[in-house]
Amino acid sequence: MIRIVGVNKKFNSGSLDEVYALREINLEIREHEFVTVIGTNGSGKSTLLNVIAGAIFPDSGSIEIGGKTMTRKRDYQRARYVSRVFQNPFMGTAPDMTIAENLLMAWFRGKKRYPVISLNGKQKSFFRDQLSQLDMQLENRLDTVMKTLSGGQRQAVTLLMAVLKTPDVLLLDEHTAALDPKTAAQVIRLTQKFVTGHKLTALMVTHSMKQAIELGTRTLMMHHGRIIDDICEEERQKLTTDDFLNKFEDIRKQEKLTPSLIETLKNQYV
Amino acid sequence: MELWIGSINLGFLFAFMAIGTFITYKLYSFPDITIDGTFTTGAAVASILIVDGWNPFLVLPVAFLVGSLAGFITGFIHTRFKIEGLLAGILVMTGLYSVNLHIMGKSNIPLISNRTVFSILSNLNPGLNAELWTAMALALVMIIVWVLISLFLKTDFGLTMRTTGNNPVMIAAHGVSVDRYKIFGISLANGLVGVSGALVAQYQGFADIGMGIGSIIFSLASVIIGEAVFRSRSMFVMVLGVVAGSVIFRIAVALALHIGMNPNDLKILTALFVLLTIIASHAYGKGREGPIFNLIQSNKKLSRWLLFIGLLSGALYILFLSVAPAKTEDEKPRIGLLLANQSSLMTNTRNGFYDEMKKLGYRNGDNCRIIELNAEGDIPTNRTMVDKLMTEKVDILVSVSTASTQAAIAKVRDIPVVFATVANPFTIQAGVSDSNHLPNVTGVYGMSPIRELLKIYTRMFPGKHTIGTIYDPAYLNTKVNMTEFVTALSFFPQLTMKEVAVAGTSEVQQAAQSLAAKKIDAFILINDLTILNSLESVVKISRQAKIPIFSNDAERLQDGVLLVYGYEYYVSGMQAAHLVDRILKGENPADIPFEKFKLITFGVNYDVADQLGIRFPDTIRHVASATFIHGKLIKRPLVLPPENHGNGDREMVLSDSASSFSKGKK
Ligand SMILES: Nc1ncnc2c1ncn2[C@@H]1O[C@H](COP(=O)(O)OP(=O)(O)OP(=O)(O)O)[C@@H](O)[C@H]1O
Ligand SMILES: [Mg+2]
């Protein structure tokens, strides 16, 4: 479904604060794979997702989605195939529009928008059904302005919007990080339900080791712009959180990780 | 009554512009300044096409297209080159100034004798008050526009447009090219502004290069008023609010004029109002911290109430004014005096008018009433002031300057209009000849006597010379005067002219410098407001480079000019007073021919002559009617020459010339 070959991305190239955000990334993700991505701060996880979504163009390398070359396609041109949920719950919805209007915008993802009014009763009842899946009593608040919802509710609606028109690829970038644990768990449940329900190909960045192992079918570990580990389904099933940490140790032994990194990883993931 | 309905009509016409600003400001969160230019562009395109014989309704879609093209350019610059919207707007607006001048070919296009949307409309009038009939027709149009725009913003396309402004990141993630929608929205907004300009030009009877200046602030004020009055999320209510805001704003302007406020103060009040409302809405919206914000927030209810009470009392006051019978103070004549700005041309004319009226036995406030208004340089205001004078039930209207006269004759048909200090009444279609003119209009006019000035120059400096001149093509009168200048030059083959055009007073010094560098022998200055207002810059260069200045402006002799030959605008006012007197005594303005200015001042400055090492020949010394010597100005008293005496001064100077200029030009 996704094929990334030899992708490099440098920020502020040539200047003092030059950052190598992605180095020689080669990655192939098959259809219906649900990949979780972990790594330290600044290791390039968001950049990887941005490159797939087309919000950022790589300096070199190529990107294929669903068999089509997308390297030079802008984000809005890829939106037909790729949908995304951001970390910031305020980024995924239009605050001054109603829930129904937001859903309509998502319903038209990747399609042409005409000067006709299609937000009619039928459309609304369809949205109502969809909203009831969230289990947040939002189905009766279609005409509520988005900004009056809580962060968790907004993130749930964003998630629904991302899958409303089934995408080929779903990108989730720490989409629960800004939520309280209870709401986060709720959104994670929804994520699982949608991804398995629609049989989506998904990439999910997370800082929770638990999520990384429990969710999905495959886990990538990133560091300094590289994918330093790629753990497949079978291997993952045998892993516990501790095993994961030991894995970090192993990597250190192979001199891929510095002691300070282990420290940060431990702090972040346990 | 006229004043209020007139301002409702203006409000309707400006509502198109306000809706444009609503789109850029409320949907895309930046006020698009391009509209200051686009408004004029719409007016310019409409006017030249109407003069060209186009159907006045057909020019509206053309104005829309041209306006949206300007908007497209702003949108393109803004999105493609990632230039801030405000800056992109300023860039395009600045560029549009030149474009507009090119489209118009001159700075002002009169439309009063052309078929306009409003003349067609008035032909269909079943016999109602003209403004009321227009208001009814416009109200119908506004309802249609309101419904269409609101519906459009509710369509899938319109919703996407709104989301593009509300959350660009999110909508891009859903497959929308934010740039394209933004460009579309800015184009649509400017298209509407173009239509607004085209309509206002037809309504006020002319297009003028300066008519769009400051539009953005007025437009913002309308949007903000609308928002404050109609608080709602519904598109229908919001767009209605914008239309209402535009009308309320225009009524507020009329009200301010009505209570005698200076239009100059109106501008700072508008600016302050917009500022305060924006601060307030920030405080409402984002829960900001700080003493002001806290105050506003804690008084949210109070301020809403204050606003409501303010608007209500304003409305009641207007209602009272329009219902209350106009105070027709006994029988004394009421004279409306309308000035375009505060320049010396205006004030001298005004003083001459007042003084001569007194001599003729009219004592203001006693046996007559003179109601004076000044548009303070804002062109559309002239129109509102004419409306205001109509509500004052004046018996006669005196308009000083071309802009005021244009506004007056476009509107007033049933009371006499006497103009003064107009260069050429024929270009503004007040008439076709001195005796064949609009039946209710007469007045005093005259083009700068440039040919005579050149004559004096060649008399002082015989032989081949290069002369230089500076002018600002943005003024209608300048265009007229320059054409005269070029024609006059053909009589003096020994003179070569170098001319420099400027846009505004700040460019004048450079222009003078560039002429000095071209080794000109003299500056010959026509009457151009920009140059008159920055004469000091020319004088500075004149002193440095030892180049004398000859000017058509009689009033600046003492300011470093070597020689002046020009009209006394004080006398223009005196002449106007005599015309007013004749009309009040029962003469029909249709039978009173237009008059030329009667008094010319020929002034010489001995101090400047000394500095430049120039000696005036005796022929000139003896005929000069004003001299400046040892820092003192000596001038003959300004009196009107007796009837049929002709131009005494002129003849004195030019008596020995073969051709007689005193016959005047056709
Ligand atoms: N637009 C940008 N301009 C400059 N540098 C950037 C930009 N975006 C990311 N970077 C840099 O690139 C590197 C990778 O950033 P990225 O956001 O991909 O990290 P991440 O793995 O998502 O980190 P986190 O866990 O904190 O979200 C970081 O050093 C970051 O500072
Ligand atoms: Mg990140």
Side-chain angles (χ1 to χ4, degrees), chain A residues 76 79 91-97 101 108 110 113-114 116 118 145, chain B residues 155-157 160 163 166-167 170 172-177 180 233:
Chain A
Y76 64 87
M91 238 157 104
T93 48
D96 294 323
M97 321 281 283
E101 287 166 345
F108 282 118
R113 289 128 202 268
Y114 295 98
V116 293
S118 45
V145 180
Chain B
T155 62
D156 304 344
F157 190 94
T160 307
T163 319
N166 203 223
N167 187 343
M170 163 255 178
H174 284 103
V176 170
S177 162
R180 252 180 255 166
R233 262 214 82 257

PDB file of all heavy atoms in Angstrom, chain A residues 76 79 91-97 101 108 110 113-114 116 118 145, chain B residues 155-157 160 163 166-167 170 172-177 180 233:
ATOM      1  N   TYR A  76      -3.269  18.108  -0.407  1.00  0.00           N
ATOM      2  CA  TYR A  76      -4.682  18.059  -0.785  1.00  0.00           C
ATOM      3  C   TYR A  76      -4.917  17.147  -1.985  1.00  0.00           C
ATOM      4  O   TYR A  76      -6.009  16.640  -2.182  1.00  0.00           O
ATOM      5  CB  TYR A  76      -5.237  19.459  -1.040  1.00  0.00           C
ATOM      6  CG  TYR A  76      -4.630  20.204  -2.196  1.00  0.00           C
ATOM      7  CD1 TYR A  76      -5.131  20.037  -3.479  1.00  0.00           C
ATOM      8  CD2 TYR A  76      -3.560  21.076  -2.003  1.00  0.00           C
ATOM      9  CE1 TYR A  76      -4.579  20.726  -4.538  1.00  0.00           C
ATOM     10  CE2 TYR A  76      -3.006  21.769  -3.061  1.00  0.00           C
ATOM     11  CZ  TYR A  76      -3.513  21.594  -4.331  1.00  0.00           C
ATOM     12  OH  TYR A  76      -2.968  22.261  -5.379  1.00  0.00           O
ATOM     13  N   ALA A  79      -5.231  13.618  -0.547  1.00  0.00           N
ATOM     14  CA  ALA A  79      -6.262  13.423   0.468  1.00  0.00           C
ATOM     15  C   ALA A  79      -7.285  12.373   0.061  1.00  0.00           C
ATOM     16  O   ALA A  79      -7.963  11.803   0.910  1.00  0.00           O
ATOM     17  CB  ALA A  79      -6.955  14.750   0.778  1.00  0.00           C
ATOM     18  N   MET A  91      -6.686  20.975  15.856  1.00  0.00           N
ATOM     19  CA  MET A  91      -6.220  21.109  14.482  1.00  0.00           C
ATOM     20  C   MET A  91      -7.078  20.348  13.482  1.00  0.00           C
ATOM     21  O   MET A  91      -7.081  20.653  12.295  1.00  0.00           O
ATOM     22  CB  MET A  91      -4.782  20.593  14.382  1.00  0.00           C
ATOM     23  CG  MET A  91      -3.842  21.651  13.872  1.00  0.00           C
ATOM     24  SD  MET A  91      -2.184  21.266  14.376  1.00  0.00           S
ATOM     25  CE  MET A  91      -1.509  20.651  12.865  1.00  0.00           C
ATOM     26  N   GLY A  92      -7.814  19.356  13.981  1.00  0.00           N
ATOM     27  CA  GLY A  92      -8.499  18.463  13.057  1.00  0.00           C
ATOM     28  C   GLY A  92      -9.908  18.893  12.700  1.00  0.00           C
ATOM     29  O   GLY A  92     -10.557  18.255  11.864  1.00  0.00           O
ATOM     30  N   THR A  93     -10.413  19.951  13.360  1.00  0.00           N
ATOM     31  CA  THR A  93     -11.776  20.382  13.072  1.00  0.00           C
ATOM     32  C   THR A  93     -11.802  21.893  12.921  1.00  0.00           C
ATOM     33  O   THR A  93     -10.927  22.583  13.416  1.00  0.00           O
ATOM     34  CB  THR A  93     -12.727  19.995  14.223  1.00  0.00           C
ATOM     35  OG1 THR A  93     -12.125  20.385  15.453  1.00  0.00           O
ATOM     36  CG2 THR A  93     -13.035  18.530  14.231  1.00  0.00           C
ATOM     37  N   ALA A  94     -12.831  22.371  12.212  1.00  0.00           N
ATOM     38  CA  ALA A  94     -12.985  23.818  12.051  1.00  0.00           C
ATOM     39  C   ALA A  94     -13.808  24.339  13.224  1.00  0.00           C
ATOM     40  O   ALA A  94     -14.981  23.991  13.355  1.00  0.00           O
ATOM     41  CB  ALA A  94     -13.671  24.136  10.740  1.00  0.00           C
ATOM     42  N   PRO A  95     -13.212  25.147  14.099  1.00  0.00           N
ATOM     43  CA  PRO A  95     -13.848  25.497  15.368  1.00  0.00           C
ATOM     44  C   PRO A  95     -15.177  26.250  15.238  1.00  0.00           C
ATOM     45  O   PRO A  95     -16.061  26.074  16.055  1.00  0.00           O
ATOM     46  CB  PRO A  95     -12.812  26.386  16.057  1.00  0.00           C
ATOM     47  CG  PRO A  95     -11.906  26.865  14.973  1.00  0.00           C
ATOM     48  CD  PRO A  95     -11.893  25.770  13.950  1.00  0.00           C
ATOM     49  N   ASP A  96     -15.297  27.097  14.196  1.00  0.00           N
ATOM     50  CA  ASP A  96     -16.501  27.923  14.113  1.00  0.00           C
ATOM     51  C   ASP A  96     -17.614  27.289  13.285  1.00  0.00           C
ATOM     52  O   ASP A  96     -18.651  27.907  13.047  1.00  0.00           O
ATOM     53  CB  ASP A  96     -16.155  29.301  13.537  1.00  0.00           C
ATOM     54  CG  ASP A  96     -15.256  30.075  14.488  1.00  0.00           C
ATOM     55  OD1 ASP A  96     -15.475  29.948  15.706  1.00  0.00           O
ATOM     56  OD2 ASP A  96     -14.339  30.760  14.015  1.00  0.00           O
ATOM     57  N   MET A  97     -17.376  26.053  12.814  1.00  0.00           N
ATOM     58  CA  MET A  97     -18.401  25.383  12.037  1.00  0.00           C
ATOM     59  C   MET A  97     -19.080  24.343  12.935  1.00  0.00           C
ATOM     60  O   MET A  97     -18.517  23.921  13.936  1.00  0.00           O
ATOM     61  CB  MET A  97     -17.791  24.686  10.820  1.00  0.00           C
ATOM     62  CG  MET A  97     -16.688  25.474  10.139  1.00  0.00           C
ATOM     63  SD  MET A  97     -17.259  26.789   9.074  1.00  0.00           S
ATOM     64  CE  MET A  97     -17.770  25.865   7.673  1.00  0.00           C
ATOM     65  N   GLU A 101     -21.421  20.390   9.698  1.00  0.00           N
ATOM     66  CA  GLU A 101     -20.650  21.008   8.614  1.00  0.00           C
ATOM     67  C   GLU A 101     -19.250  20.411   8.529  1.00  0.00           C
ATOM     68  O   GLU A 101     -18.730  20.146   7.441  1.00  0.00           O
ATOM     69  CB  GLU A 101     -20.575  22.529   8.831  1.00  0.00           C
ATOM     70  CG  GLU A 101     -21.899  23.225   8.538  1.00  0.00           C
ATOM     71  CD  GLU A 101     -21.960  24.659   9.074  1.00  0.00           C
ATOM     72  OE1 GLU A 101     -21.112  25.032   9.903  1.00  0.00           O
ATOM     73  OE2 GLU A 101     -22.860  25.391   8.659  1.00  0.00           O
ATOM     74  N   PHE A 108     -16.701  14.936   1.850  1.00  0.00           N
ATOM     75  CA  PHE A 108     -16.267  15.305   0.503  1.00  0.00           C
ATOM     76  C   PHE A 108     -14.760  15.137   0.312  1.00  0.00           C
ATOM     77  O   PHE A 108     -14.200  15.661  -0.630  1.00  0.00           O
ATOM     78  CB  PHE A 108     -16.646  16.753   0.196  1.00  0.00           C
ATOM     79  CG  PHE A 108     -18.086  16.933  -0.155  1.00  0.00           C
ATOM     80  CD1 PHE A 108     -18.919  17.720   0.617  1.00  0.00           C
ATOM     81  CD2 PHE A 108     -18.604  16.293  -1.281  1.00  0.00           C
ATOM     82  CE1 PHE A 108     -20.251  17.874   0.279  1.00  0.00           C
ATOM     83  CE2 PHE A 108     -19.942  16.452  -1.613  1.00  0.00           C
ATOM     84  CZ  PHE A 108     -20.761  17.235  -0.833  1.00  0.00           C
ATOM     85  N   GLY A 110     -11.378  14.626  -0.856  1.00  0.00           N
ATOM     86  CA  GLY A 110     -10.835  14.232  -2.149  1.00  0.00           C
ATOM     87  C   GLY A 110     -11.809  14.377  -3.304  1.00  0.00           C
ATOM     88  O   GLY A 110     -11.516  13.965  -4.411  1.00  0.00           O
ATOM     89  N   ARG A 113     -16.169  19.975  -4.851  1.00  0.00           N
ATOM     90  CA  ARG A 113     -17.274  20.565  -4.105  1.00  0.00           C
ATOM     91  C   ARG A 113     -18.022  21.541  -5.004  1.00  0.00           C
ATOM     92  O   ARG A 113     -17.431  22.423  -5.593  1.00  0.00           O
ATOM     93  CB  ARG A 113     -16.728  21.308  -2.874  1.00  0.00           C
ATOM     94  CG  ARG A 113     -16.206  20.346  -1.822  1.00  0.00           C
ATOM     95  CD  ARG A 113     -14.801  20.714  -1.401  1.00  0.00           C
ATOM     96  NE  ARG A 113     -14.101  19.567  -0.811  1.00  0.00           N
ATOM     97  CZ  ARG A 113     -14.088  19.301   0.483  1.00  0.00           C
ATOM     98  NH1 ARG A 113     -14.723  20.083   1.304  1.00  0.00           N
ATOM     99  NH2 ARG A 113     -13.440  18.262   0.942  1.00  0.00           N
ATOM    100  N   TYR A 114     -19.315  21.331  -5.127  1.00  0.00           N
ATOM    101  CA  TYR A 114     -20.108  22.158  -6.039  1.00  0.00           C
ATOM    102  C   TYR A 114     -20.967  23.151  -5.270  1.00  0.00           C
ATOM    103  O   TYR A 114     -21.281  22.936  -4.101  1.00  0.00           O
ATOM    104  CB  TYR A 114     -20.993  21.271  -6.913  1.00  0.00           C
ATOM    105  CG  TYR A 114     -20.192  20.392  -7.832  1.00  0.00           C
ATOM    106  CD1 TYR A 114     -19.923  19.063  -7.488  1.00  0.00           C
ATOM    107  CD2 TYR A 114     -19.675  20.894  -9.029  1.00  0.00           C
ATOM    108  CE1 TYR A 114     -19.168  18.253  -8.315  1.00  0.00           C
ATOM    109  CE2 TYR A 114     -18.922  20.096  -9.860  1.00  0.00           C
ATOM    110  CZ  TYR A 114     -18.668  18.769  -9.503  1.00  0.00           C
ATOM    111  OH  TYR A 114     -17.913  17.992 -10.330  1.00  0.00           O
ATOM    112  N   VAL A 116     -23.861  23.509  -4.538  1.00  0.00           N
ATOM    113  CA  VAL A 116     -25.209  23.007  -4.258  1.00  0.00           C
ATOM    114  C   VAL A 116     -25.283  22.718  -2.770  1.00  0.00           C
ATOM    115  O   VAL A 116     -24.259  22.491  -2.131  1.00  0.00           O
ATOM    116  CB  VAL A 116     -25.523  21.708  -5.037  1.00  0.00           C
ATOM    117  CG1 VAL A 116     -25.599  21.983  -6.517  1.00  0.00           C
ATOM    118  CG2 VAL A 116     -24.479  20.654  -4.739  1.00  0.00           C
ATOM    119  N   SER A 118     -25.978  20.322   0.018  1.00  0.00           N
ATOM    120  CA  SER A 118     -26.264  18.900   0.216  1.00  0.00           C
ATOM    121  C   SER A 118     -26.409  18.538   1.687  1.00  0.00           C
ATOM    122  O   SER A 118     -26.585  17.380   2.025  1.00  0.00           O
ATOM    123  CB  SER A 118     -25.208  18.029  -0.462  1.00  0.00           C
ATOM    124  OG  SER A 118     -23.931  18.505  -0.208  1.00  0.00           O
ATOM    125  N   VAL A 145     -21.701  24.136  17.534  1.00  0.00           N
ATOM    126  CA  VAL A 145     -20.445  24.645  16.991  1.00  0.00           C
ATOM    127  C   VAL A 145     -19.293  23.858  17.616  1.00  0.00           C
ATOM    128  O   VAL A 145     -19.271  23.603  18.819  1.00  0.00           O
ATOM    129  CB  VAL A 145     -20.307  26.151  17.294  1.00  0.00           C
ATOM    130  CG1 VAL A 145     -18.998  26.675  16.736  1.00  0.00           C
ATOM    131  CG2 VAL A 145     -21.457  26.911  16.685  1.00  0.00           C
TER     132      VAL A 145
ATOM    133  N   THR B 155     -23.741  26.477   0.491  1.00  0.00           N
ATOM    134  CA  THR B 155     -23.542  25.329  -0.400  1.00  0.00           C
ATOM    135  C   THR B 155     -22.259  24.609  -0.016  1.00  0.00           C
ATOM    136  O   THR B 155     -21.466  25.103   0.787  1.00  0.00           O
ATOM    137  CB  THR B 155     -23.409  25.781  -1.865  1.00  0.00           C
ATOM    138  OG1 THR B 155     -22.250  26.622  -1.953  1.00  0.00           O
ATOM    139  CG2 THR B 155     -24.629  26.524  -2.344  1.00  0.00           C
ATOM    140  N   ASP B 156     -22.070  23.436  -0.627  1.00  0.00           N
ATOM    141  CA  ASP B 156     -20.856  22.662  -0.346  1.00  0.00           C
ATOM    142  C   ASP B 156     -19.621  23.497  -0.646  1.00  0.00           C
ATOM    143  O   ASP B 156     -18.653  23.509   0.105  1.00  0.00           O
ATOM    144  CB  ASP B 156     -20.841  21.401  -1.217  1.00  0.00           C
ATOM    145  CG  ASP B 156     -22.100  20.585  -1.004  1.00  0.00           C
ATOM    146  OD1 ASP B 156     -22.789  20.834   0.012  1.00  0.00           O
ATOM    147  OD2 ASP B 156     -22.404  19.736  -1.853  1.00  0.00           O
ATOM    148  N   PHE B 157     -19.699  24.215  -1.771  1.00  0.00           N
ATOM    149  CA  PHE B 157     -18.575  25.053  -2.175  1.00  0.00           C
ATOM    150  C   PHE B 157     -18.362  26.179  -1.156  1.00  0.00           C
ATOM    151  O   PHE B 157     -17.237  26.419  -0.704  1.00  0.00           O
ATOM    152  CB  PHE B 157     -18.847  25.640  -3.560  1.00  0.00           C
ATOM    153  CG  PHE B 157     -17.668  26.320  -4.167  1.00  0.00           C
ATOM    154  CD1 PHE B 157     -16.823  25.628  -5.019  1.00  0.00           C
ATOM    155  CD2 PHE B 157     -17.392  27.647  -3.885  1.00  0.00           C
ATOM    156  CE1 PHE B 157     -15.726  26.247  -5.581  1.00  0.00           C
ATOM    157  CE2 PHE B 157     -16.297  28.273  -4.435  1.00  0.00           C
ATOM    158  CZ  PHE B 157     -15.459  27.583  -5.291  1.00  0.00           C
ATOM    159  N   THR B 160     -17.017  24.957   2.096  1.00  0.00           N
ATOM    160  CA  THR B 160     -15.591  24.653   1.980  1.00  0.00           C
ATOM    161  C   THR B 160     -14.784  25.939   2.052  1.00  0.00           C
ATOM    162  O   THR B 160     -13.750  26.005   2.724  1.00  0.00           O
ATOM    163  CB  THR B 160     -15.321  23.941   0.649  1.00  0.00           C
ATOM    164  OG1 THR B 160     -16.201  22.831   0.553  1.00  0.00           O
ATOM    165  CG2 THR B 160     -13.894  23.466   0.576  1.00  0.00           C
ATOM    166  N   THR B 163     -14.602  26.975   5.570  1.00  0.00           N
ATOM    167  CA  THR B 163     -13.700  26.127   6.344  1.00  0.00           C
ATOM    168  C   THR B 163     -12.253  26.451   6.006  1.00  0.00           C
ATOM    169  O   THR B 163     -11.375  26.409   6.870  1.00  0.00           O
ATOM    170  CB  THR B 163     -13.982  24.644   6.047  1.00  0.00           C
ATOM    171  OG1 THR B 163     -15.395  24.463   5.986  1.00  0.00           O
ATOM    172  CG2 THR B 163     -13.403  23.761   7.110  1.00  0.00           C
ATOM    173  N   ASN B 166     -11.399  29.044   8.215  1.00  0.00           N
ATOM    174  CA  ASN B 166     -11.505  28.686   9.623  1.00  0.00           C
ATOM    175  C   ASN B 166     -10.408  27.746  10.088  1.00  0.00           C
ATOM    176  O   ASN B 166      -9.875  27.887  11.182  1.00  0.00           O
ATOM    177  CB  ASN B 166     -12.872  28.061   9.878  1.00  0.00           C
ATOM    178  CG  ASN B 166     -13.287  28.166  11.318  1.00  0.00           C
ATOM    179  OD1 ASN B 166     -13.802  27.220  11.880  1.00  0.00           O
ATOM    180  ND2 ASN B 166     -13.039  29.297  11.949  1.00  0.00           N
ATOM    181  N   ASN B 167     -10.072  26.749   9.259  1.00  0.00           N
ATOM    182  CA  ASN B 167      -8.999  25.822   9.615  1.00  0.00           C
ATOM    183  C   ASN B 167      -8.336  25.294   8.343  1.00  0.00           C
ATOM    184  O   ASN B 167      -8.697  24.236   7.838  1.00  0.00           O
ATOM    185  CB  ASN B 167      -9.547  24.671  10.459  1.00  0.00           C
ATOM    186  CG  ASN B 167      -8.440  23.792  10.997  1.00  0.00           C
ATOM    187  OD1 ASN B 167      -7.307  23.833  10.499  1.00  0.00           O
ATOM    188  ND2 ASN B 167      -8.744  22.996  12.000  1.00  0.00           N
ATOM    189  N   MET B 170      -6.833  21.623   8.426  1.00  0.00           N
ATOM    190  CA  MET B 170      -7.804  20.543   8.401  1.00  0.00           C
ATOM    191  C   MET B 170      -8.408  20.372   7.013  1.00  0.00           C
ATOM    192  O   MET B 170      -8.524  19.263   6.511  1.00  0.00           O
ATOM    193  CB  MET B 170      -8.877  20.824   9.454  1.00  0.00           C
ATOM    194  CG  MET B 170     -10.129  20.034   9.291  1.00  0.00           C
ATOM    195  SD  MET B 170     -11.427  21.115   8.632  1.00  0.00           S
ATOM    196  CE  MET B 170     -12.774  19.989   8.474  1.00  0.00           C
ATOM    197  N   ALA B 172      -7.185  21.206   4.158  1.00  0.00           N
ATOM    198  CA  ALA B 172      -6.188  20.682   3.213  1.00  0.00           C
ATOM    199  C   ALA B 172      -6.083  19.178   3.380  1.00  0.00           C
ATOM    200  O   ALA B 172      -5.972  18.427   2.414  1.00  0.00           O
ATOM    201  CB  ALA B 172      -4.834  21.347   3.447  1.00  0.00           C
ATOM    202  N   ALA B 173      -6.158  18.727   4.648  1.00  0.00           N
ATOM    203  CA  ALA B 173      -6.095  17.293   4.899  1.00  0.00           C
ATOM    204  C   ALA B 173      -7.306  16.580   4.304  1.00  0.00           C
ATOM    205  O   ALA B 173      -7.286  15.374   4.103  1.00  0.00           O
ATOM    206  CB  ALA B 173      -6.014  17.034   6.400  1.00  0.00           C
ATOM    207  N   HIS B 174      -8.369  17.344   4.031  1.00  0.00           N
ATOM    208  CA  HIS B 174      -9.529  16.725   3.410  1.00  0.00           C
ATOM    209  C   HIS B 174      -9.595  17.004   1.918  1.00  0.00           C
ATOM    210  O   HIS B 174     -10.658  16.982   1.306  1.00  0.00           O
ATOM    211  CB  HIS B 174     -10.814  17.168   4.116  1.00  0.00           C
ATOM    212  CG  HIS B 174     -10.986  16.476   5.432  1.00  0.00           C
ATOM    213  ND1 HIS B 174     -10.734  17.086   6.623  1.00  0.00           N
ATOM    214  CD2 HIS B 174     -11.341  15.208   5.720  1.00  0.00           C
ATOM    215  CE1 HIS B 174     -10.938  16.221   7.611  1.00  0.00           C
ATOM    216  NE2 HIS B 174     -11.307  15.068   7.096  1.00  0.00           N
ATOM    217  N   GLY B 175      -8.449  17.305   1.354  1.00  0.00           N
ATOM    218  CA  GLY B 175      -8.365  17.320  -0.096  1.00  0.00           C
ATOM    219  C   GLY B 175      -8.731  18.625  -0.759  1.00  0.00           C
ATOM    220  O   GLY B 175      -9.131  18.645  -1.921  1.00  0.00           O
ATOM    221  N   VAL B 176      -8.605  19.730  -0.025  1.00  0.00           N
ATOM    222  CA  VAL B 176      -8.969  21.012  -0.629  1.00  0.00           C
ATOM    223  C   VAL B 176      -7.716  21.853  -0.809  1.00  0.00           C
ATOM    224  O   VAL B 176      -6.902  21.971   0.108  1.00  0.00           O
ATOM    225  CB  VAL B 176      -9.975  21.757   0.278  1.00  0.00           C
ATOM    226  CG1 VAL B 176     -10.174  23.194  -0.196  1.00  0.00           C
ATOM    227  CG2 VAL B 176     -11.292  21.008   0.296  1.00  0.00           C
ATOM    228  N   SER B 177      -7.564  22.403  -1.996  1.00  0.00           N
ATOM    229  CA  SER B 177      -6.458  23.314  -2.223  1.00  0.00           C
ATOM    230  C   SER B 177      -6.812  24.655  -1.588  1.00  0.00           C
ATOM    231  O   SER B 177      -7.613  25.411  -2.121  1.00  0.00           O
ATOM    232  CB  SER B 177      -6.217  23.494  -3.712  1.00  0.00           C
ATOM    233  OG  SER B 177      -5.447  24.644  -3.922  1.00  0.00           O
ATOM    234  N   ARG B 180      -6.301  27.743  -3.760  1.00  0.00           N
ATOM    235  CA  ARG B 180      -7.276  27.998  -4.822  1.00  0.00           C
ATOM    236  C   ARG B 180      -8.560  28.607  -4.267  1.00  0.00           C
ATOM    237  O   ARG B 180      -9.106  29.543  -4.834  1.00  0.00           O
ATOM    238  CB  ARG B 180      -7.599  26.695  -5.549  1.00  0.00           C
ATOM    239  CG  ARG B 180      -6.984  26.695  -6.953  1.00  0.00           C
ATOM    240  CD  ARG B 180      -7.317  25.425  -7.650  1.00  0.00           C
ATOM    241  NE  ARG B 180      -6.132  24.574  -7.686  1.00  0.00           N
ATOM    242  CZ  ARG B 180      -6.170  23.285  -8.001  1.00  0.00           C
ATOM    243  NH1 ARG B 180      -7.322  22.698  -8.255  1.00  0.00           N
ATOM    244  NH2 ARG B 180      -5.060  22.585  -8.061  1.00  0.00           N
ATOM    245  N   ARG B 233     -25.008  32.859  14.217  1.00  0.00           N
ATOM    246  CA  ARG B 233     -24.159  31.998  13.409  1.00  0.00           C
ATOM    247  C   ARG B 233     -24.790  31.768  12.039  1.00  0.00           C
ATOM    248  O   ARG B 233     -24.161  31.261  11.143  1.00  0.00           O
ATOM    249  CB  ARG B 233     -23.983  30.640  14.107  1.00  0.00           C
ATOM    250  CG  ARG B 233     -22.727  30.508  14.880  1.00  0.00           C
ATOM    251  CD  ARG B 233     -22.217  29.079  14.819  1.00  0.00           C
ATOM    252  NE  ARG B 233     -21.485  28.799  13.615  1.00  0.00           N
ATOM    253  CZ  ARG B 233     -21.941  28.135  12.577  1.00  0.00           C
ATOM    254  NH1 ARG B 233     -23.176  27.691  12.553  1.00  0.00           N
ATOM    255  NH2 ARG B 233     -21.186  27.908  11.538  1.00  0.00           N
TER     256      ARG B 233
END
